[in-house]
Amino acid sequence: MNSRYAAWAVGLAALIALPFVYREPYHLHILVLILIWSFAYTSWSIMGRFGLVSLGHGGFMGVGAYVTALLWNHLDITPWIGIPLSMVAAGLLALVVAYPCFRFRITGHYFVLVTLALSGIVLQVITATRDYTGGSLGYTPNRAPSGRGLLALQFDDKTTWYLIALGVWVVGLLIWRWVDRSMSRYAMEAISEDEDAAAAAGVNVTAEKLKITLISALMTALAGALYCQYQMFISPDTVSGIAVSLQMVFAVIVGGLYVSLGPTIGAIITILLAEGLRIGFGTKAVGWDNLVYGVLLVVFIIFLPKGILGSVLDRLKPQPKPSGTK
Amino acid sequence: MQAFLDTFDIYLLEAVVNGILLGGVLALLALGLNLIFGVIDVTWICYAELVMIGMYGMYYMVQVFGLPYWAAAPIAILLVAALGAALHYIVIAPLLTAPPINQLLATGGVLFILQSFATVAFGIDFRNLGIRLPVLAIGDMHFSYSRLLAFVAALLGMLAIYFFMKRTYTGTAIRAVAQDRQIMSLMGVDTKRIYLITSALGGALAGLAACLLVLQYDVHPFVGLSFGPITFLICVLGGLGNFVGGFIAAFVFAQIISLGGLYSDLEWGYVLAFAFFIVMMFIRPAGLLARRS
Amino acid sequence: MLELRSVDAGYGTFQALFGINLDVRAGEAVGVIGPNGAGKTTLMRVISGLIRPTNGTISMEGRDVVATAAHRIVDLGIAHVPENRRLFPRLTVDDNLKMGAYMPGARAKYAERLEFVFDLFPRMRERRSQVAGTLSGGEQQMCAIGRALMSDPKLLLLDEPSAGLAPVVVQQVFELVKRIRSGGLTVLIVEQNVQQVLKVVDRAYLLEAGTIRASGTSEEMLSTDTIKQAYLGV
């Protein structure tokens, strides 16, 4: 166990040290993207691993990004306050949709479709309010006057962003671990296996599910807001809608749903893939990256449903005894 | 004041009628999705994207190859039917024993594929048939013939499905599979074949919807997003697999969208519909018509 | 007519049948009796193709049943009335019967078979447009047997036709089995109601823990001590 902590500590130290010895801006940029999306994917998997497959996370991410940017541009509210507010907004949205779902046992297909509609609707709202949000053309937070970058949470140098993203990513993993370890995990597993049995055992199914959903939505909104602050440009397609939701699911499935680093692996693979495709096909070939994405998603679900990391770990692990866990 | 009220009523009535007309097409879409869910227990997340492909098919046949509309429509329907069957054969069939969530996500992957395929193959420009049907004026109200045609054709399509399901052996078998799939082989029914036929039927309904929607809307790779989510809400509210529930819910939602659109943008109509849906989940959590078991 | 030779079958890693040898000759009525969980239903399912044997051969009039696709076994002349009847609850009686005549050969004779079934069960004619799920237990059994008869089978497999029915209705069901028999149909029937079933069948097999423990004519079975003690309570 100690050696595992040591490995984590060494790995983390290396990651922190990295931008101080290696400064190639494009590579750092890719790393920041990977870390932010890893955080978003991790937050999706917190719900997803308990069988709560949400396709509404594109919506939460969109709320996080747009609310933060709109507050800054229109009301001069600093992202330091705007981000928490956007998270609250996403959390409320999550509760409003999730509460009736869980309360009335809307599960499986129904839950997926309801959440899917949620991200579709958030996208519609962003498009409908085009006078404020710029609609499908996208939106840019106002540049802060020089010297006030910290207040506006706008930084020009990649190292700062790298460290912020790294910090958030680590926090995401810690939350994943905390949920994994905490009592509610047993409850949640009982829920995803058999809701009636869980309820009979005294687990408040609705409350447990809501808790997980809330955590997940708050984290996703934070990811959206950070993405906005980092890229300084958001559009409905990149931070909201069904496509973004599916992208999260895709990455988590590729990486592995039941392993803490699975979503991160998924982010590394998908972002490198997207960048590779983008460079390989050139800028003219819009859509090719998503085409390959889609094909891979289907292939993965058919042939490797446990994801890359999950499947590799399965193979590495000594086979559990027949009477063992699972 | 009186004059104001008169116009107001006229617009209201016009919106109500347009809502009914929209309901026909939405009901058609819901029927296709419900059919597939009821029989195969799978939800095609990419259903609206099949419609999008059908719309492009119509665009190319009519606008590029110069086929008349009435000749292109059956071909488009067959095309999307074949696409539906292929979707089942390639993606769903290998996953029939997998957890349902995997089937659902795989069709999500297909949504990606179809959207980006359309982007790559057809570009992101908005296209239309260039057919402008006349507008029917009754008093001060205006109804486009394309909507009337869509409504009538959608009803006819649903009627055709109804008779197929009631009268033919295959239709009866499709209904039977939805109730007890294990014993179908005792009847001499090849379930795999029934699934394939059902998928083709679901595709054909999407194809028909495409032929009707392409008269009213421009087609672009993401057009599916405009009516996909609303179709899912309809199916959930009506009860997945419940044909009658889906039919009623389609008309309810169409009214909300149409009346909502009267006071502001169409997008807000969708938002209103979603809000209505959330409220309905509290009131009738088991669906509009709780399914008889 | 029907021949099973050293048939093994089961579900996943669980084996339910061990080396079953069983014969049904044309025109016979044969019973399979035994306690709960002995593998009786599995035996029926393996004959009609709902599950496939892991070992052994099954043949129907010399044709290989195991090599026939599950949904084609009806064409060999085998009709299976499953345990718990398994009607399509939201289809009408008519539609349920129609499903029994799904195979192309049976479709051609649909009208004729429908008359036959309605003559056998006049009650079904009255209820033809009623949804099957709303029928009484006895009516459901009639409908299930009727559905199987629609395919004009040579061999009828009946799995626990008396299960869950009131005693009076059980009597009626066995009367029906007798009538079906007298029409020249071959019947293989699985029952827990040993006393009743031995009155209608010519021969019977005793199935225990997945193996055939005894077989013989109904009289022989009735006089066997083990059966008397274990199943007849005498």
Side-chain angles (χ1 to χ4, degrees):
Chain A
M1 209 58 207
N2 274 331
S3 65
R4 268 188 79 174
Y5 280 120
W8 276 95
V10 171
L12 195 58
L15 282 173
I16 294 172
L18 181 87
F20 298 103
V21 290
Y22 186 81
R23 292 177 173 278
E24 214 286 304
Y26 173 68
H27 290 163
L28 277 186
H29 166 70
I30 297 296
L31 280 176
V32 174
L33 283 184
I34 287 176
L35 287 170
I36 293 178
W37 283 110
S38 296
F39 176 67
Y41 299 160
T42 304
S43 52
W44 185 89
S45 75
I46 283 178
M47 267 180 91
R49 60 176 308 216
F50 294 113
L52 298 173
V53 175
S54 156
L55 289 181
H57 275 54
F60 303 139
M61 195 153 180
V63 169
Y66 271 92
V67 169
T68 305
L70 286 167
L71 287 177
W72 169 246
N73 280 10
H74 291 281
L75 299 174
D76 281 326
I77 294 178
T78 158
W80 291 100
I81 298 168
I83 290 177
L85 285 179
S86 77
M87 288 166 69
V88 168
L92 284 176
L93 186 64
L95 291 181
V96 163
V97 175
Y99 177 75
C101 281
F102 298 152
R103 172 82 177 70
F104 301 120
R105 300 262 184 103
I106 289 169
T107 53
H109 288 267
Y110 288 86
F111 185 70
V112 174
L113 292 183
V114 171
T115 52
L116 181 82
L118 171 69
S119 45
I121 297 299
V122 169
L123 187 121
Q124 296 275 4
V125 171
I126 294 172
T127 321
T129 52
R130 54 181 69 79
D131 294 345
Y132 300 96
T133 61
S136 51
L137 295 176
Y139 195 59
T140 307
N142 292 337
R143 281 268 161 206
S146 63
R148 301 191 57 192
L150 184 62
L151 180 73
L153 202 67
Q154 295 173 6
F155 307 104
D156 289 328
D157 75 306
K158 299 265 184 245
T159 308
T160 311
W161 270 114
Y162 174 85
L163 291 175
I164 293 173
L166 185 65
V168 168
W169 173 71
V170 170
V171 169
L173 289 184
L174 290 176
I175 296 176
W176 195 97
R177 212 177 141 75
W178 170 70
V179 172
D180 192 58
R181 288 283 167 94
S182 74
M183 264 310 287
S184 69
R185 172 197 167 208
Y186 300 105
M188 287 303 283
E189 253 156 35
I191 291 161
S192 57
E193 306 263 298
D194 183 349
E195 239 179 73
D196 289 316
V203 176
N204 187 339
V205 180
T206 307
E208 290 297 330
K209 282 181 165 182
L210 275 181
K211 201 164 89 190
I212 301 291
T213 306
L214 188 63
I215 293 170
S216 180
L218 292 176
M219 288 168 70
T220 311
L222 175 60
L226 286 179
Y227 177 85
C228 168
Q229 293 300 122
Y230 174 63
Q231 292 285 50
M232 290 301 282
F233 175 75
I234 44 176
S235 70
D237 303 334
T238 49
V239 292
S240 79
I242 296 166
V244 173
S245 302
L246 281 170
Q247 192 186 319
M248 292 189 192
V249 182
F250 172 50
V252 175
I253 298 243
V254 168
L257 184 54
Y258 301 102
V259 201
S260 63
L261 280 177
T264 304
I265 300 287
I268 294 171
I269 291 169
T270 52
I271 288 171
L272 290 184
L273 183 72
E275 283 296 305
L277 291 168
R278 195 172 61 84
I279 295 164
F281 285 113
T283 43
K284 276 182 195 165
V286 186
W288 278 102
D289 48 348
N290 276 337
L291 189 59
V292 176
Y293 255 40
V295 171
L296 283 178
L297 174 55
V298 173
V299 169
F300 260 100
I301 289 173
I302 295 178
F303 297 106
L304 268 187
K306 280 192 173 172
I308 290 180
L309 193 56
S311 302
V312 170
L313 286 181
D314 265 10
R315 218 152 283 175
L316 291 182
K317 253 186 228 163
Q319 286 301 312
K321 284 153 216 135
S323 62
T325 50
K326 213 170 174 208
Chain B
M1 186 63 196
Q2 192 55 45
F4 169 77
L5 273 182
D6 282 347
T7 44
F8 177 79
D9 284 344
I10 290 286
Y11 285 133
L12 192 65
L13 190 60
E14 188 181 294
V16 167
V17 174
N18 277 328
I20 293 172
L21 298 185
L22 175 66
V25 182
L26 289 182
L28 193 67
L29 288 172
L31 174 64
L33 213 52
N34 273 332
L35 185 65
I36 288 154
F37 180 82
V39 175
I40 314 176
D41 232 343
V42 172
T43 311
W44 288 359
I45 289 186
C46 56
Y47 196 63
E49 276 61 37
L50 294 181
V51 178
M52 179 265 294
I53 296 290
M55 286 169 83
Y56 268 113
M58 284 303 284
Y59 166 76
Y60 273 92
M61 281 187 284
V62 173
Q63 200 63 334
V64 180
F65 301 115
L67 248 63
Y69 178 86
W70 55 265
I75 301 176
I77 293 172
L78 285 178
L79 171 88
V80 186
L83 200 61
L87 170 65
H88 179 80
Y89 192 76
I90 297 169
V91 178
I92 302 297
L95 289 173
L96 275 178
T97 51
I101 262 4
N102 288 16
Q103 304 161 0
L104 209 84
L105 294 178
T107 64
V110 175
L111 179 144
F112 254 136
I113 295 174
L114 293 178
Q115 272 186 4
S116 38
F117 167 76
T119 311
V120 170
F122 313 128
I124 52 169
D125 300 327
F126 283 48
R127 319 252 189 199
N128 60 61
L129 283 194
I131 297 177
R132 280 283 162 260
L133 291 180
V135 170
L136 175 71
I138 303 173
D140 284 336
M141 292 183 290
H142 300 276
F143 307 109
S144 72
Y145 269 104
S146 54
R147 285 187 181 181
L148 284 171
L149 176 75
F151 180 72
V152 173
L155 284 193
L156 287 178
M158 284 184 272
L159 214 59
I161 292 286
Y162 176 82
F163 280 111
F164 174 78
M165 299 287 274
K166 283 279 179 200
R167 294 289 160 84
T168 65
Y169 280 93
T170 310
T172 312
I174 288 175
R175 287 186 291 142
V177 172
Q179 298 176 28
D180 192 338
R181 66 195 71 233
Q182 276 107 31
I183 63 155
M184 291 313 287
S185 73
L186 297 184
M187 310 290 122
V189 177
D190 183 2
T191 345
K192 281 186 200 148
R193 197 169 146 267
I194 294 295
Y195 285 171
L196 212 54
I197 293 173
T198 309
S199 301
L201 268 182
L205 286 170
L208 177 59
C211 296
L212 305 174
L213 287 167
V214 80
L215 285 173
Q216 302 172 44
Y217 300 99
D218 289 348
V219 56
H220 55 96
F222 305 100
V223 71
L225 299 178
S226 314
F227 35 82
I230 210 77
T231 310
F232 298 136
L233 291 183
I234 288 169
C235 289
V236 174
L237 189 65
L240 272 174
N242 185 333
F243 298 157
V244 183
F247 187 81
I248 296 171
F251 282 92
V252 172
F253 271 95
Q255 272 319 321
I256 293 172
I257 293 169
S258 186
L259 290 176
L262 180 66
Y263 300 106
S264 113
D265 292 334
L266 194 62
E267 284 102 342
W268 285 111
Y270 287 122
V271 175
L272 216 59
F274 189 69
F276 169 77
F277 173 81
I278 297 286
V279 173
M280 283 305 286
M281 278 207 295
F282 282 98
I283 302 171
R284 291 199 71 95
L288 206 56
L289 304 173
R291 190 169 180 173
R292 293 151 289 181
S293 56
Chain C
M1 182 180 244
L2 181 74
E3 259 184 41
L4 276 75
R5 289 292 171 268
S6 44
V7 167
D8 294 346
Y11 306 89
T13 54
F14 171 74
Q15 191 173 348
L17 294 178
F18 301 86
I20 300 290
N21 291 304
L22 184 145
D23 290 272
V24 181
R25 290 184 282 272
E28 261 188 329
V30 176
V32 177
I33 55 175
N36 248 337
K40 301 192 300 288
T41 294
T42 310
L43 178 65
M44 297 302 243
R45 301 172 71 118
V46 85
I47 296 171
S48 67
L50 281 179
I51 59 169
R52 286 321 173 97
T54 47
N55 234 326
T57 59
I58 305 173
S59 71
M60 172 74 184
E61 294 186 315
R63 284 188 289 177
D64 188 352
V65 174
V66 181
T68 309
H71 64 276
R72 298 242 165 236
I73 290 175
V74 194
D75 255 1
L76 301 178
I78 299 174
H80 180 177
V81 182
E83 194 181 16
N84 301 326
R85 307 178 272 279
R86 299 290 282 270
L87 291 172
F88 301 108
R90 295 188 299 280
L91 294 189
T92 60
V93 169
D94 257 355
D95 282 344
N96 267 285
L97 295 177
K98 195 162 146 193
M99 285 315 298
Y102 182 85
M103 292 304 277
R107 283 185 206 187
K109 287 183 277 185
Y110 174 71
E112 180 194 321
R113 295 306 299 172
L114 195 64
E115 272 314 300
F116 174 78
V117 169
F118 282 162
D119 286 347
L120 198 61
F121 309 116
R123 186 78 65 82
M124 288 300 104
R125 197 193 299 272
E126 294 163 26
R127 306 271 155 135
R128 56 187 299 176
S129 51
Q130 193 173 326
V131 170
T134 61
L135 297 174
S136 73
E139 288 167 345
Q140 287 197 11
Q141 191 61 60
M142 286 179 202
C143 188
I145 296 174
R147 183 176 68 180
L149 291 176
M150 286 299 289
S151 65
D152 195 11
K154 296 169 189 146
L155 170 67
L156 186 66
L157 307 179
L158 286 171
D159 194 349
E160 302 265 1
S162 76
L165 299 180
V168 189
V169 187
V170 171
Q171 281 297 330
Q172 290 170 354
V173 167
F174 281 107
E175 281 305 310
L176 277 173
V177 174
K178 266 189 201 161
R179 264 161 69 199
I180 294 165
R181 270 218 61 192
S182 61
L185 197 65
T186 311
V187 178
L188 180 63
I189 179 169
V190 155
E191 255 302 337
Q192 288 208 54
N193 195 332
V194 175
Q195 201 141 29
Q196 290 285 354
V197 79
L198 287 180
K199 283 182 198 162
V200 290
V201 297
D202 307 310
R203 293 190 300 119
Y205 292 85
L206 171 64
L207 190 64
E208 276 180 349
T211 50
I212 302 244
R213 284 284 152 79
S215 66
T217 63
S218 301
E219 294 76 30
E220 285 168 4
M221 295 300 268
L222 277 170
S223 57
T224 311
D225 284 343
T226 49
I227 293 180
K228 268 190 194 164
Q229 284 161 12
Y231 301 104
L232 301 174
V234 197

